[in-house]
Amino acid sequence: MKAKHYYLFDEEVNGKMKGRSLDKSNWDVLRMGGKESPFSIEKDIAAYEENCRKALSYKKMAELLCHIVQKYGRNSQKVISLGVGKGVLEWHMKKMLPDIAVECADYTEKAIERLKTVFPDVDDAYVFDILNGDYANLDSNAVYVMHRISTEFNSDDWYKIFRKLYEADIKCVIFIPTDLDTVGTMCKEKIKHVKNVLCKKKDIFCGWLYSEKEFLKFFHNRSNVPKYLVEEKIDCGKTAIYVLKRNNKGR
């Protein structure tokens, strides 16, 4: 079960956005905006670190992920986080596991450059396209984190992404959806969007909402053979942490 996801940004941001979808250029508008927001990266280290310290939900998530990395990534000394956004989760993880290399990847060049200036402790930060990038260029033995990027891609995209992860011999992925949506939450989303349209408010198409059943499909191939097995699931309110291990028989 899936549904379209829309978001109504404030007027200042909306005025700078082109079109009605959250593409690469519009992500740059969000990340590089001068006005402080949940999406923009602060311009200096002090402001950025203050924001990170206040983000207690990210700190709690980082504690869980650090425990998972220590438990399942015994042979790895590296975490690669894909689609990092502001890098708040990764900032907390680096504080908690200073001896583990933490790498941040996203597909907007300007945002990555700013992130490197405000997060100097990051071991590496670079541009990487989750959908079209070459995973063979990344470390297959690292523990991969995919946190709150589930809405970014459609179903076909997610099947492609997990196929590419598998073919690159990436062994451990920690996958945390934005939400595990239901019929109820999807109906609320539709009603909210219709109201915005009727009120002539420009909400932006930001991707897709999925039920848990849909996410579990993505870990398989189209023949329903698991490429990644759910080693552990940890419920976290409206979402969950899925610890995925590569299935060597997944072809």
Side-chain angles (χ1 to χ4, degrees), residues 16 111 126 128 148 198 221:
K16 296 177 181 178
Y126 44 84
F128 185 79
R148 292 179 61 85
L198 293 175
N221 60 26

Side-chain angles (χ1 to χ4, degrees), residues 159 162-163 166 212-230 247 249-251:
Y159 279 110
F162 277 101
R163 184 180 72 248
Y166 182 89
E212 182 178 37
K213 186 176 180 180
E214 287 298 313
F215 288 123
L216 295 176
K217 289 179 183 177
F218 300 153
F219 309 152
H220 295 57
N221 60 26
R222 291 293 190 181
S223 301
N224 204 33
V225 178
K227 288 191 176 298
Y228 284 88
L229 303 171
V230 179
N247 178 19
K249 299 178 181 180
R251 292 187 184 279

